[in-house]
Amino acid sequence: MSYYSVNRHWSDQFLPEIKSIIGSHIIQTAPDPLDHFQATDLLMLDAKDMRIAARVRRHGYADRYPHQFTIRAKLPTGAETELSKIVNGHGDWMFYGHAGSDGQTILNWWLIDLRAFRAALIRHRTAGSFLHMGDKRNADGTCFKWFDIRSFPKEPPLVVARG
């Protein structure tokens, strides 16, 4: 079984929990006029065709890197990576979580606005904005770019929600 298959199988177990978390941030209670006159109790935020990436890191990284998120930046096969896709304008939000000690639940998470992420990358090193980031290579040849969430500008906000 390939690294991709093993990792995909492991990360897919979190999708029901991720959907539950994200849903609570996309759906809101409708205002009274909509409830009274249009049979609407809930409505979705400006989320038509919203594209959401999801990444869950294995247990232990949250303690070692509490303010860091990573995005795959290079594959040994040369295939396009998540970082390339995001930088090229794909994706609206990214769910980024850490697995709990049981390896089956999510310990803590951020919902990251990828438009704010791209804006920060564009403005990096201009107007006094310096992102704290670096590279990490794994034994299997994959490379990740890590980012310190605290180094991102306040506006536009990078983090939509956290838990």
Side-chain angles (χ1 to χ4, degrees):
M1 190 179 284
S2 71
Y3 284 118
Y4 172 82
S5 298
V6 169
N7 288 332
R8 176 71 191 251
H9 178 72
W10 180 83
S11 66
D12 280 355
Q13 73 178 321
F14 297 101
L15 290 178
E17 188 175 359
I18 292 169
K19 285 194 265 185
S20 175
I21 291 168
I22 291 172
S24 68
H25 295 284
I26 292 177
I27 298 173
Q28 66 182 13
T29 303
D32 287 343
L34 289 180
D35 182 33
H36 296 304
F37 303 110
Q38 296 180 17
T40 303
D41 296 299
L42 300 170
L43 59 96
M44 205 149 76
L45 298 175
D46 185 21
K48 292 181 181 177
D49 193 28
M50 182 172 262
R51 310 286 172 110
I52 303 168
R55 174 145 163 72
V56 178
R57 271 182 113 170
R58 297 192 190 279
H59 177 68
Y61 287 100
D63 292 332
R64 291 176 22 210
Y65 308 105
H67 305 288
Q68 183 188 95
F69 67 97
T70 62
I71 302 174
R72 187 174 292 108
K74 187 177 179 186
L75 290 165
T77 63
E80 188 174 16
T81 63
E82 286 80 2
L83 184 60
S84 174
K85 294 170 192 172
I86 290 168
V87 167
N88 286 333
H90 298 287
D92 299 300
W93 284 357
M94 178 173 67
F95 177 90
Y96 191 87
H98 291 272
S101 59
D102 63 1
Q104 298 176 341
T105 57
I106 296 172
L107 177 65
N108 56 21
W109 53 269
W110 294 308
L111 197 50
I112 295 171
D113 184 333
L114 292 176
R115 290 166 290 202
F117 174 76
R118 287 187 284 269
L121 288 180
I122 290 167
R123 294 180 180 106
H124 177 61
R125 295 186 186 217
T126 62
S129 174
F130 290 94
L131 299 179
H132 189 204
M133 60 183 152
D135 299 303
K136 167 74 173 131
R137 179 183 276 292
N138 288 345
D140 66 0
T142 56
C143 297
F144 289 84
K145 181 72 101 175
W146 60 263
F147 301 90
D148 187 320
I149 211 158
R150 299 169 298 182
S151 69
F152 281 77
K154 299 290 183 221
E155 291 297 326
L158 179 71
V159 177
V160 173
R162 65 180 72 221

